[in-house]
Amino acid sequence: MNIDNAKSQMRKGMLEYCILLLLRRQSSYAADIIQQLKDARLIVVEGTLYPLLTRLKNDGLLSYDWQESTMGPPRKYYVLTESGEEFLTELDKAWNELAHTVSVLTTTDNDTNPNT
């Protein structure tokens, strides 16, 4: 198995959740979302982000509004909808369950494996 491919798949699986987490904090435009993800060491390109934002909007999890910019044309700011908040709450629960499982398995492995 290729480790880079496995890591890529893990990042793809988390991308939607991470975007929703960012938008829970504040509405943002695409370039700002990309920068925040880069700051968190999750590299995403526009060609990946825009289709995902469109899908999340079409699913009713996001909406957007246009805001004037002092640095160019108006920007499309994305915001969570009420459905998006509810969906994110469920993702939070799923993440906590997964994190707990990984923690238990990692701890159990370290406790029972004499080579670690």
Side-chain angles (χ1 to χ4, degrees):
M1 174 180 248
N2 181 327
I3 190 64
D4 289 332
N5 185 47
K7 288 175 11 180
S8 175
Q9 291 302 314
M10 290 172 75
R11 282 190 296 271
K12 285 179 187 177
M14 295 194 46
L15 182 57
E16 180 176 307
Y17 182 47
C18 291
I19 290 168
L20 295 175
L21 286 170
L22 290 174
L23 294 174
R24 173 189 274 162
R25 287 192 242 159
Q26 65 183 26
S27 63
S28 296
Y29 64 101
D32 191 40
I33 293 169
I34 289 172
Q35 185 58 52
Q36 291 178 69
L37 292 171
K38 284 181 182 178
D39 291 346
R41 298 179 59 194
L42 182 61
I43 305 302
V44 177
V45 296
E46 289 180 8
T48 300
L49 181 64
Y50 282 110
L52 181 53
L53 290 171
T54 298
R55 185 176 58 76
L56 292 171
K57 182 198 162 293
N58 290 343
D59 289 346
L61 303 178
L62 300 180
S63 62
Y64 64 82
D65 64 331
W66 291 95
Q67 296 181 18
E68 291 298 322
S69 170
T70 59
M71 301 179 64
R75 295 176 173 166
K76 187 186 293 187
Y77 277 76
Y78 292 89
V79 63
L80 283 180
T81 63
E82 186 175 326
S83 295
E85 282 284 354
E86 293 169 4
F87 185 76
L88 184 52
T89 297
E90 291 303 312
L91 286 180
D92 285 336
K93 291 176 188 175
W95 173 254
N96 289 329
E97 290 171 4
L98 285 169
H100 174 74
T101 299
V102 170
S103 178
V104 167
L105 294 174
T106 302
T107 302
T108 302
D109 184 49
N110 288 335
D111 291 344
T112 60
N113 187 346
N115 295 324
T116 58

